[in-house]
Amino acid sequence: MTVIRYNSWKEIDTLERRVNLLVEGFIPNTLKELTNVPKIPAAEIIETDDAVILKLEVPGMEAKDLDIQVTEDAVSISGERKFQHKEEDKAKTKSEFYYGQFQRVIPLPVPIQNTKVTADYKDGILHLNLPKLVEEKNKVVKINLGEN
């Protein structure tokens, strides 16, 4: 009769291989699903005495592909980045770019004059200058301390 010594590390190696197979099967599907999630543009809001300045990152798009709607208390931006595919190109493409529609509604910290908004789009950054309502800009509140 042959005596075989028990090796606990062998079972750990087997467990590790099984976990790796499970993870390898899961990760590619998860990454594929993550690339299909709509991307929303990053925003930066700066509030000055006279206006609210809103900047949005929308690289790779033309100004005509953006729809901007402004109310007194929010800005709504939507658009679509279209995939440009050439039929004669036989090369395989692997891309991390997002193509498709997006929409973002950004609430504003103060009411603005939505009829006097100015916009500029340069180098993939959309700049919106949103002037504050006059009543908000010059609003002064008197605080009375209760005198006894």
Side-chain angles (χ1 to χ4, degrees), residues 31-42:
L31 290 177
K32 189 174 182 181
E33 290 170 9
L34 286 176
T35 58
N36 291 330
V37 174
K39 306 289 189 276
I40 57 172

Side-chain angles (χ1 to χ4, degrees), residues 5-127:
R5 182 168 225 174
Y6 176 73
N7 185 354
S8 61
W9 292 109
K10 189 173 184 178
E11 287 191 28
I12 291 174
D13 288 341
T14 303
L15 178 63
E16 181 182 11
R17 272 186 265 122
R18 288 182 181 175
V19 168
N20 286 342
L21 284 173
L22 178 67
V23 170
E24 286 172 8
F26 175 73
I27 286 180
N29 291 336
T30 303
L31 290 177
K32 189 174 182 181
E33 290 170 9
L34 286 176
T35 58
N36 291 330
V37 174
K39 306 289 189 276
I40 57 172
E44 179 177 276
I45 298 176
I46 302 164
E47 185 177 350
T48 65
D49 291 338
D50 300 329
V52 174
I53 299 164
L54 176 63
K55 297 179 186 179
L56 272 96
E57 273 186 337
V58 283
M61 296 187 67
E62 294 182 30
K64 67 179 177 74
D65 294 331
L66 295 172
D67 180 31
I68 306 161
Q69 297 180 12
V70 182
T71 64
E72 286 186 1
D73 57 353
V75 175
S76 173
I77 294 115
S78 60
E80 181 176 7
R81 182 181 296 153
K82 297 177 181 146
F83 181 70
Q84 298 171 355
H85 178 68
K86 297 178 182 176
E87 292 295 326
E88 62 271 0
D89 191 8
K90 302 285 185 194
K92 290 185 179 180
T93 303
K94 194 172 195 176
S95 176
E96 293 180 351
F97 290 174
Y98 172 75
Y99 296 99
Q101 295 181 344
F102 68 88
Q103 180 178 14
R104 180 153 188 198
V105 177
I106 301 170
L108 298 172
V110 294
I112 55 111
Q113 296 179 32
N114 60 340
T115 57
K116 296 186 179 181
V117 173
T118 58
D120 180 38
Y121 181 66
K122 184 177 179 185
D123 297 330
I125 305 291
L126 174 65
H127 297 262

